[in-house]
Amino acid sequence: MAQIVAATCNEHKLNEYRDLLKDQKVEVVGLNAYKKCPEIEETGATFEENASIKALAANKYCDIPAFADDSGLEVEALGGAPGIQSARYADSDSARIARILNELGDNPNRQAKFVCVIAIAINGEVIETFRGEVSGVITKEPRGSNGFGYDPIFMPDGYDQTFGELDAEIKNKISHRARAFQKAIEFVEDEMSVLDDDFS
Ligand code: IMP
């Protein structure tokens, strides 16, 4: 089966990728399979730039087609923070959640969205990026222990449970990552003749 390297060592993300791509003829390999791969610095100013930087670095290092996602939480009342800084907003998931809840305080505007941008890189070039978003609200306190990151405080529109409470199966149907992947899969299927050589 053709392999594609995912530019991440995050096991939670890898599990979601494998689930989202389970019907595709492709085996997802994480960067942790490449023990000596240098850390990739996210120096971009947008999700698109960071996803592209990561996908390109993985493609060049591993010499097989690569993809990367750059993702994060944008909270309206915080001017879009933490945004591309989501992974670095504090030192641990619980500290990051506490910071958001603290900064929001009693603010009645709890609107937020998760954003995910996937970049695909083949033969030393980023061929395309795909953006997926899911809107929701920030709860008053963390709920549930499913998923990862900010999941326990994010309740997607149309649901009364957070991503921390919802089953992975539901999250993986409606999430920002699922939506970005849907677009990426459609693109790859449409352009398959171009990619066949690289994927064979
Ligand atoms: P990245 O590895 O730079 O893309 O970091 C994204 C960060 O955004 C993660 O470390 C999480 O804190 C947060 N994040 C992204 N996607 C999700 C998600 O699906 N659930 C919860 N937090 C997420």
Side-chain angles (χ1 to χ4, degrees):
M1 198 188 288
Q3 286 192 329
I4 188 162
V5 65
T8 186
C9 293
N10 179 331
E11 284 299 328
H12 294 285
K13 279 192 179 184
L14 277 172
N15 286 340
E16 289 193 4
Y17 296 153
R18 290 187 176 125
D19 192 44
L20 291 165
L21 293 172
K22 63 179 183 292
D23 296 331
Q24 309 302 313
K25 290 189 216 101
V26 69
E27 182 196 348
V28 179
V29 187
L31 266 190
N32 37 6
Y34 294 80
K35 294 269 181 272
K36 293 191 181 141
C37 182
E39 180 111 356
I40 304 167
E41 277 200 55
E42 298 180 24
T43 52
T46 61
F47 290 111
E48 277 78 5
E49 280 176 20
N50 280 336
S52 299
I53 290 169
K54 289 189 270 187
L56 203 52
N59 172 235
K60 286 191 173 154
Y61 186 80
C62 307
D63 209 19
I64 59 171
F67 72 89
D69 97 40
D70 197 54
S71 48
L73 179 70
E74 291 186 345
V75 181
E76 194 175 273
L78 302 181
I84 61 166
Q85 297 302 331
S86 291
R88 296 169 287 279
Y89 211 45
D91 289 342
S92 66
D93 277 346
S94 55
R96 286 185 272 275
I97 284 177
R99 180 168 173 191
I100 300 268
L101 293 180
N102 191 33
E103 285 176 345
L104 267 183
D106 287 334
N107 196 322
N109 178 4
R110 319 290 296 182
Q111 286 300 320
K113 65 181 177 183
F114 270 127
V115 178
C116 172
V117 172
I118 293 172
I120 301 179
I122 298 177
N123 293 337
E125 261 183 70
V126 173
I127 56 164
E128 194 60 83
T129 62
F130 310 89
R131 177 179 273 247
E133 299 184 353
V134 57
S135 298
V137 290
I138 301 297
T139 51
K140 288 268 161 70
E141 50 201 38
R143 287 171 17 199
S145 54
N146 293 339
F148 69 102
Y150 300 95
D151 281 342
I153 54 166
F154 183 83
M155 191 157 70
D157 288 345
Y159 292 81
D160 58 8
Q161 289 183 302
T162 66
F163 271 166
E165 296 171 306
L166 288 166
D167 284 344
E169 207 184 318
I170 298 178
K171 179 182 175 189
N172 286 345
K173 279 206 178 91
I174 62 168
S175 78
H176 49 316
R177 196 161 290 107
R179 289 175 177 163
F181 264 96
Q182 249 159 23
K183 292 185 189 168
I185 290 167
E186 274 165 32
F187 174 87
V188 170
E189 282 171 350
D190 288 350
E191 307 284 320
M192 212 55 187
S193 57
V194 179
L195 302 181
D196 266 354
D197 291 346
D198 299 290
F199 276 98
S200 55

